[in-house]
Amino acid sequence: MLEVKGLRKVYEDTSRTVEAIRDVSFCVGEGELVCIVGPSGAGKTTLLKCIAGLLAPTAGGVIVEATPVVGPPPAMAVVFQEYGRSLFPWMSVHDNVMLPLKQKNMPAARREELVRDALAAVDLKGVESAYPWQLSGGMQQRVAIARAVAYEPHVLLMDEPFAAVDAQTRADLEDLIRVLWRRLRVTVLFVTHDIDESVYLGQRVMVMSQAPTVIMEDVAVDLPDERTQLETRSMARFGELRKHIYSQIQLAKQGWRPPAG
Amino acid sequence: MSALGPLPRRIAVALALPVTLIAAWWITSAGSENFYFPPLQTIVQTFGKLWFSPHALSDVVPSLWRFSVGYLAAAFLGIAIGIPVGASRNLRNVLEPVLEFFRAIPPPVLVPVLILFAGIGNEMKALVIMFGCIWPVLLNTVAGVRALDEVLAETVRSYRIGRFARLWHFTLPGASPLIFTGLRQALPIGIILMVVSEMFAASDGIGFALVQYQRTFALPEMWSGIILLGIIGIVLSLIFRAIETRLLGWYHGLRQSQRAG
């Protein structure tokens, strides 16, 4: 479904070169929900932009649905961290969700239906005509998620989407992602710096090292599929996974990395 | 800042100084024997006779026509050139020295030159107005396109939004606050150049009429023409503000919500 092979990214300008990603390879199966967690400065956003086709890798590559990524793939949607900057402030909520659909060849009635359903799916009704900046941060991020959902992607990339909302809203949005993922059977790659969030959301958690980034470990999350904030987070297994990933991140921060090969 | 008072209060505040000044002029000039500074009452009477007559149209209409053509051409060209220049660093590097040079030329000096190949007709005047008005529009459009939000640009790319939709739904509205700043700066420049170009070589127009009155020592008429120009300036700026409020409502709302948050 989604394959990253030997991806390397070096930023070069006249004065210096920075190796952001050294060598990252992994696969995400169809319909999987995989979290990528790493310390700040782990090149998470760089990796995600390479996968999204927004940034060209220095070496290696990304394959989505058997097609090498050279630009943004058609069946992919990205939700960015900065909801305030990823929504068009001059457009209503409705028009924000509608704009990408206008690029798709489909009857107008179908577009309207997709917008309506997507806004309903993220619990946003009655704000269609509002401007994004008239809404709270959590609601704005819901609009961005609705826009991604309406686009009917096969792959949904999320770049620390809840890093800028308050804790309560964040828990609600995490549950929303689980619900949408299960209902839409979409493949989700979720980047975060929050260990708890990665364990709570993911079927797998990939732990990144510090830049130049490699993957430290690919952790399978063997928690039941039905997850609730209250019960899942108080399970003994949740604590173990959390502790394990936490210690990996600590190692990453100290500069430890897995032996090459 | 204190809350804005009710509307009548605001109107009273806005009108207080103009009314005082007019009253002071009226009183101090009443019964004036000075040839150069006739009583305001005489000027007002002349104003009514002169500019509310059908004859006045033969001066006012050509002036406003030249202004409109020159200003709108400058607006169109300034935006049309500014967008690609703002989007491309290479284009900026090539064009910037040339633009700076042309911008440094005071537009009125072009009048004698333009007379040579554009004659003394409307084309010459519209060209002079256009040449003066284009710079603030062009430079502000360039700045506006450069300041477009990066996250929003990536959103546009990742949803594979086409060239035309990108221009219409992203570039133009995103740059519009600065484009309007440029258009507002160009407004008085256009009026000045309208008058100046008509003073040089013309057979009609407000500028032409003013010079005629001055040469024939028709002082009340001359003063009334100056007042007319002031009124035209205010009316144009009111029309401009009405259009701006309509198109940039989102921007002012966004700014207000950012200040409040």
Side-chain angles (χ1 to χ4, degrees), chain A residues 3-37:
Chain A
E3 195 180 353
V4 178
K5 276 202 294 196
L7 192 124
R8 179 162 190 262
K9 179 66 191 177
V10 181
Y11 290 102
E12 264 177 290
D13 63 34
T14 47
S15 57
R16 60 191 198 130
T17 55
V18 178
E19 187 181 17
I21 299 176
R22 175 159 294 166
D23 181 9
V24 168
S25 299
F26 62 87
C27 285
V28 179
E30 185 159 359
E32 262 194 300
L33 200 174
V34 176
C35 290
I36 294 178
V37 68

Side-chain angles (χ1 to χ4, degrees), chain A residues 99 103, chain B residues 156 161-173:
Chain A
L99 182 64
Q103 303 298 305
Chain B
V156 168
I161 287 167
R163 286 173 71 100
F164 181 75
R166 183 191 164 89
L167 175 69
W168 189 248
H169 293 294
F170 170 58
T171 312
L172 273 176

